[in-house]
Amino acid sequence: MNVKKFMPNGVEDVHFNEFQQKEDMIQKIQKLFKSFGYRQILTPTFEYYDLFYGIQGTVDLDNMIKIIDENGKILVLRPDVTTPIARMVATNYHSYTGYLKFSYVTNIFRMNHGRADIKKEFTQAGVEYLGNNKVEADGEIIALAIKSLLSCGVKNFKLDVGQINFFKGLLKEFSLAPFEEKNIRNLIERKNLPELKKVLEKIKGKQKLKDAILSIPYLYGCPKEVLKSAEKYIFNEQMEEALKNISEICYVLTDYGYKNYIDLDLGLVNRLDYYTGIVFQGYLLNYGKEILSGGRYDHLTQQYGYERPATGFGLNIDELLKAIHKDESVPNYKCCSDYLIIYPSEYRKRGLYLADRLREKRFIVETDVYTQKILSMIEDIQYKNIKKIIQIKEDNEIEIYSLNTKKMEKTTIEKLLN
């Protein structure tokens, strides 16, 4: 029987070594989020399709996994977390006027349209900071994204940071149809300059404005240099304010000590209908896929009848793990147990007592009854990566065998525990 046919496309089993590595990573990130005052929440796995329908900037409706409930209503498996949080805030926190700081770690579900490199289910960790429109909030979010990667032991990464209003302000100088704006945005995102130049030749407008659009893909790199280059393309107050905003955020990140982890990219322009200010994406060096993304989205809650400025980011845990596994400089993660305690049935009580005391000391301890000599068991348990074997002997005596040093030590239960 070909058991592979029982595994749907776009999903996978997670085996124990990878699962434990993932859990350890999540715990570090959760601890980090909590240390910044973010309160963890959980939204439903199922949401009404109508929650996302007609909302600007959410996940493409064609990418949502849909089902019909017993009442004929269309439901979707959670395709996004930010939108349900916006719904939750508008429903439950409309009378609260202070800041709201939420964190989450949950699974996301999206169609992959047959692409083997895209998972239908993945784990995402993230934060949402609502009610604060200051640059301090944006700086904290980006700093937290950087800290999240550092907490997982990742060092070779960069965050590309943009300001969506710089490009929005530039578009105001033209009279473009929506499809023309979308085409230009896509070409800038892909940095397809030859095709972009052809498109602009067919559009009415001053040449200096067209030159400004052509310059957008080049406004990338060192923050100081990008800001200096971008100044000569300012044509209105919105563009000026956008550069001022991103400059101030760079100062905040410098004070965090993170200026070396960011590049500016004013060519991040593809989600104009969702983001309202700062926008950023995170990548590991020598790994082409996006690991995290975020930005400011001040108008999302307004679409549910309650306007609150907001900023946040999401980190794809599974994509991060995949990137780490491809880095040969990072050692493979292996689960292990500290002790295996073995005993004949007549010494079971002593063996279980010792196991419980060691577990209280936060050791990982396995137990088993044996009817053979200790050395004959070693080969059978090496695959479990057990560090030491304890054999219970007479009169509370024990023998401890280290699988690493191949040495035997004789002692007593009392001495080991003390």
Side-chain angles (χ1 to χ4, degrees):
M1 179 183 293
N2 182 10
V3 296
K4 288 186 177 180
K5 68 180 182 180
F6 296 111
M7 180 71 72
N9 173 268
V11 298
E12 63 185 14
D13 293 319
V14 181
H15 298 275
F16 54 85
N17 283 327
E18 184 178 352
F19 182 85
Q20 190 58 56
Q21 183 180 18
K22 184 175 179 177
E23 284 294 294
D24 289 351
M25 184 179 291
I26 288 172
Q27 288 176 12
K28 291 175 183 177
I29 292 172
Q30 287 175 319
K31 184 178 179 180
L32 175 64
F33 290 169
K34 187 175 182 180
S35 73
F36 272 69
Y38 290 84
R39 314 293 172 84
Q40 186 162 344
I41 52 90
L42 179 65
T43 63
T45 301
F46 298 99
E47 294 279 0
Y48 281 121
Y49 174 75
D50 291 345
L51 176 70
F52 301 90
Y53 185 79
I55 299 300
Q56 291 184 340
T58 57
V59 179
D60 190 323
L61 299 179
D62 291 336
N63 291 334
M64 298 183 185
I65 300 176
K66 308 172 187 72
I67 63 172
I68 307 296
D69 73 3
E70 66 275 14
N71 298 315
K73 294 284 189 179
I74 303 176
L75 305 180
V76 294
L77 290 173
R78 184 192 303 110
D80 169 61
V81 183
T82 303
T83 302
I85 288 179
R87 183 257 306 147
M88 185 177 72
V89 169
T91 303
N92 300 287
Y93 296 91
H94 56 273
S95 61
Y96 183 71
T97 58
Y99 301 157
L100 293 168
K101 303 174 78 171
F102 297 122
S103 68
Y104 62 87
V105 178
T106 194
N107 282 10
I108 304 295
F109 305 88
R110 294 176 189 168
M111 297 295 291
N112 67 353
H113 303 290
R115 289 186 56 180
D117 61 323
I118 297 178
K119 296 173 68 174
K120 288 181 179 176
E121 179 183 9
F122 60 92
T123 302
Q124 181 172 298
V127 295
E128 311 294 349
Y129 192 167
L130 299 102
N132 190 341
N133 59 4
K134 302 173 186 174
V135 295
E136 296 292 333
D138 291 310
E140 177 176 302
I141 287 295
I142 298 173
L144 196 49
I146 293 171
K147 285 179 179 289
S148 296
L149 294 176
L150 291 173
S151 72
C152 296
V154 179
K155 297 179 180 178
N156 298 321
F157 66 89
K158 280 282 187 179
L159 265 62
D160 295 339
V161 182
Q163 225 295 353
I164 212 78
N165 287 326
F166 186 78
F167 186 67
K168 282 183 178 180
L170 181 56
L171 289 182
K172 282 184 176 180
E173 302 297 316
F174 292 86
S175 296
L176 300 175
F179 76 91
E180 290 176 316
E181 287 190 7
K182 183 177 180 181
N183 189 27
I184 290 173
R185 294 200 315 263
N186 289 336
L187 292 172
I188 290 175
E189 282 276 340
R190 299 200 304 267
K191 301 190 185 299
N192 189 342
L193 299 181
E195 189 62 29
L196 178 61
K197 190 173 183 180
K198 290 180 182 178
V199 170
L200 290 174
E201 288 173 354
K202 300 176 184 178
I203 293 175
K204 294 181 180 180
K206 297 179 181 179
Q207 187 59 44
K208 65 178 181 179
L209 297 175
K210 294 182 181 182
D211 290 341
I213 288 183
L214 285 170
S215 74
I216 294 291
Y218 293 103
L219 296 177
Y220 172 83
C222 170
K224 185 177 181 180
E225 295 176 2
V226 171
L227 290 170
K228 184 178 180 181
S229 298
E231 286 177 357
K232 58 187 175 185
Y233 298 112
I234 294 175
F235 298 106
N236 52 49
E237 185 178 354
Q238 185 175 12
M239 299 178 75
E240 184 177 5
E241 286 298 316
L243 289 187
K244 180 181 177 182
N245 174 261
I246 198 171
S247 176
E248 290 175 351
I249 290 172
C250 287
Y251 283 123
V252 174
L253 293 172
T254 297
D255 288 341
Y256 271 105
Y258 290 153
K259 68 176 182 179
N260 292 332
Y261 290 106
I262 64 167
D263 285 322
L264 292 196
D265 186 359
L266 294 180
L268 295 178
V269 299
N270 206 30
R271 297 186 68 187
L272 294 187
D273 55 350
Y274 178 69
Y275 288 115
T276 59
I278 206 74
V279 59
F280 59 93
Q281 298 173 346
Y283 297 88
L284 269 65
L285 301 185
N286 301 317
Y287 189 78
K289 290 187 179 180
E290 176 186 293
I291 300 295
L292 62 83
S293 64
R296 177 162 288 280
Y297 55 98
D298 288 341
H299 300 326
L300 181 60
T301 58
Q302 182 183 13
Q303 297 178 77
Y304 297 107
Y306 179 58
E307 186 173 7
R308 294 295 294 274
T311 182
F313 80 92
L315 167 63
N316 189 326
I317 298 292
D318 294 332
E319 204 64 61
L320 177 57
L321 276 170
K322 188 177 178 181
I324 290 174
H325 292 160
K326 285 196 172 185
D327 187 346
E328 295 181 356
S329 67
V330 179
N332 291 330
Y333 190 97
K334 288 186 177 181
C335 291
C336 69
S337 294
D338 296 298
Y339 295 105
L340 168 65
I341 298 177
I342 56 176
Y343 45 78
S345 56
E346 60 267 28
Y347 298 151
R348 180 187 298 112
K349 185 175 182 179
R350 274 185 258 163
L352 297 180
Y353 168 82
L354 176 58
D356 282 343
R357 300 293 81 73
L358 290 173
R359 290 176 187 133
E360 289 171 359
K361 295 178 180 288
R362 307 192 72 174
F363 289 105
I364 300 173
V365 184
E366 301 181 38
T367 61
D368 196 9
V369 66
Y370 76 96
T371 58
Q372 52 188 326
K373 293 184 179 180
I374 183 173
L375 293 178
S376 64
M377 300 183 66
I378 293 175
E379 185 176 345
D380 295 334
I381 65 171
Q382 281 181 329
Y383 79 96
K384 297 184 72 176
N385 200 22
I386 295 174
K387 296 177 182 179
K388 294 182 179 181
I389 301 173
I390 297 178
Q391 184 178 14
I392 304 297
K393 310 291 284 186
E394 295 179 346
D395 300 325
N396 285 334
E397 292 184 351
I398 57 176
E399 292 180 349
I400 305 174
Y401 181 81
S402 170
L403 275 75
N404 291 326
T405 64
K406 311 298 183 186
K407 293 183 178 180
M408 181 83 74
E409 173 190 358
K410 293 184 178 182
T411 185
T412 64
I413 292 176
E414 289 76 14
K415 288 181 180 179
L416 177 63
L417 294 177
N418 294 328

